Amino acid sequence: MRLWLLERAAILAGAGLLAWFFLNAIFQPFYCGFGFNSDQFSGLHLAQSFAFLHGAKYPSLESGILLTPIYGPVGFCFYWPAAMFSLPSNAVLAGQIMAAACFFVPALWIFVKKNQPSRTSDSVLAFLVFGLLACTRHELKYCAFGIHVDAPALGLAATAVYLIYSGMQSRKRMILSALCVVLSIWSKQTMLPVAAALVLYVWIAQGRQAAVRYSWFLALSGVLVTAVIIYFFEARDLWLNMVTIPFRHPWASPEKLGMMGAPLSNPLFSSDKWAAGLAVIRELVKAVSIPILIFLLALYRDFKAGLFKRGISSWFASNPWSVFVLVGIFLLPAAFLGKVKIGGADNNFGLSLYFLFIGALMTLGKKRSDVFLFCILMAVTVAHNRMVLFQNPLAPNEQRFVVDTAWRFASKYPEEAYFPGIPLASMMAEKKGYHSPIGIWERTAAGFPVTSAHFRAGLPAKMKWVVLGPSYGFMPVLAPFLKRFPGCSVTDLPEL
């Protein structure tokens, strides 16, 4: 009776806390890095999404608009419904809700439908804890609530994993799973290890023949989806933006991890590179410590119960959480490389943590006493982020409406104002985009400096104003180009 009461109290408290933290994450901006908060960074990626919607292509070395084109096109397409809103602030809010739906809905479905003896209350508690972690841990929060390709990539990959472990005997489910994996990779290329992890899981759980069949489905899906994408975009430009440029980005110096700038030009085995690599490894170990501890507890329980005596294949097949562990582990190298390079942010860790935490929480619930573990995880998560409890999620957020002011000005004076830090304003006012300083920086960092002619081609035709807004940190990037336009007035948004 006491456990039942504790369980119901935990569900009610967890639901209330999750709603509060969720609303705060949606309506109140949080820092994303590089001098941008979540609203501003979301606006940048939404501008790239709308650019594709209006027919823009991936930029080549010599031409094209430089927004943030180093990801695949599929993830950006998920945000096209936000274009129905007239005000940019509403479009950003709608896009953030879409990102949250891509992130949370597959996870909720997985917890509810997990193939193991479990009560509904355990599934609800597991999802509530997962939701609180996603709303409070910056690595996951960035992926869940920022408009980026992360959320669609994770949602597609999670759907692929669910389809595999819940129906490996079904050819239809295997085909749909393979298609979701390919779409996830074409959302964010660092999701490529998911394919290898799922092939390995199928091999272990169902045997070599099933793994070969699934590999064929992956290959055929890859050919089909790639053919469709190449029909709309130049293959050479896709390779340049999605592979060459990210690959050529150098490692960051140890003190500048997660920041724009400070690339390392030293040899591979220099002391600075070792220091940067070790710093990222320390962060990664700290990030995965909680799910790893839960995994060890689950392994200890299964070993004590003698479940490994039936063979490793039987154990994998009867423990669906194991596939999430495999996927999370396979994504760790990509998380490391994404973080250690200049500009690498915490969302690189979030791709792996998403699967590790889902797998970890799926292991709980086999015993009634696990309700105590759920309560401890919930309490520690909330206590570590207790200041959010005192924040009003519906408090006025003036920063969100900066883009509306810029949009009104751009609508009144089309092709006359350049908003380096607010590209969404021009995109929604004029249905065309102009260079983002991040896009310029990404090219320069990869060793492809933007020429004056390329820069000029991506500016308003009758440019009179350069409105900085939230782009002060990028003035060193813009200054060499803007000095060639002495007739333009460089100003800040409130002065207009």
Side-chain angles (χ1 to χ4, degrees), residues 235-250:
R236 180 180 59 183
D237 296 337
L238 284 166
W239 184 267
L240 169 68
N241 289 280
M242 293 181 61
V243 179
T244 303
I245 289 176
F247 180 78
R248 287 172 63 100
H249 281 166

Side-chain angles (χ1 to χ4, degrees), residues 99-320:
C102 291
F103 185 94
F104 285 106
V105 170
L108 175 61
W109 186 259
I110 288 166
F111 283 122
V112 171
K113 294 290 185 177
K114 59 182 179 178
N115 292 348
Q116 65 180 48
S118 178
R119 297 171 300 119
T120 302
S121 57
D122 293 323
S123 298
V124 172
L125 279 172
F127 177 74
L128 291 175
V129 174
F130 175 79
L132 286 171
L133 288 166
C135 291
T136 54
R137 290 190 64 116
H138 191 253
E139 308 97 334
L140 292 170
K141 188 177 181 180
Y142 194 145
C143 297
F145 298 99
I147 297 178
H148 202 301
V149 295
D150 293 341
L154 287 171
L156 287 165
T159 302
V161 174
Y162 169 76
L163 289 170
I164 275 296
Y165 82 72
S166 64
M168 279 183 287
Q169 292 79 17
S170 169
R171 183 184 297 267
K172 183 184 297 185
R173 289 200 172 207
M174 292 186 80
I175 293 173
L176 289 175
S177 173
L179 182 60
C180 287
V181 170
V182 172
L183 291 173
S184 176
I185 295 169
W186 271 109
S187 295
K188 191 166 189 176
Q189 54 272 46
T190 52
M191 299 299 288
L192 182 61
V194 174
L198 290 182
V199 170
L200 177 60
Y201 175 77
V202 174
W203 189 312
I204 295 173
Q206 292 292 322
R208 183 176 65 86
Q209 187 175 357
V212 171
R213 185 188 311 119
Y214 185 62
S215 299
W216 273 110
F217 292 150
L218 284 169
L220 292 174
S221 299
V223 170
L224 176 63
V225 173
T226 302
V228 172
I229 290 174
I230 290 177
Y231 176 80
F232 291 100
F233 301 100
E234 287 288 339
R236 180 180 59 183
D237 296 337
L238 284 166
W239 184 267
L240 169 68
N241 289 280
M242 293 181 61
V243 179
T244 303
I245 289 176
F247 180 78
R248 287 172 63 100
H249 281 166
W251 286 26
S253 58
E255 69 277 6
K256 296 291 185 179
L257 288 170
M259 300 174 64
M260 294 283 187
L264 285 177
S265 57
N266 298 325
L268 176 62
F269 297 105
S270 68
S271 58
D272 280 345
K273 280 202 170 181
W274 277 107
L278 289 174
V280 173
I281 290 174
R282 284 195 295 269
E283 289 185 34
L284 198 53
V285 170
K286 182 180 179 181
V288 303
S289 58
I290 293 178
I292 291 299
L293 288 174
I294 298 176
F295 293 146
L296 293 176
L297 173 62
L299 290 173
Y300 170 75
R301 285 178 172 179
D302 287 355
F303 178 79
K304 191 175 180 181
L307 298 183
F308 287 103
K309 295 179 179 178
R310 294 180 294 177
I312 191 69
S313 297
S314 176
W315 181 84
F316 265 89
S318 60
N319 286 279

Side-chain angles (χ1 to χ4, degrees), residues 215 485 492:
S215 299
F485 302 92
D492 196 11

Side-chain angles (χ1 to χ4, degrees), residues 31-37 40-41 258 260 399 469-474:
Y31 184 67
C32 286
F34 326 131
F36 287 83
N37 64 34
Q40 296 156 357
F41 219 59
M260 294 283 187
Q399 297 182 58
S471 60
Y472 289 113
F474 289 100

Side-chain angles (χ1 to χ4, degrees), residues 405-419 426 429-430 434 460-465 496:
T405 304
W407 168 75
R408 292 187 182 95
F409 189 86
S411 300
K412 187 176 182 180
Y413 303 102
E415 299 189 3
E416 294 185 13
Y418 173 42
F419 301 90
S426 299
E430 305 174 27
Y434 303 116
K462 301 176 288 185
M463 188 172 69
K464 295 181 180 179
W465 296 279
L496 295 176

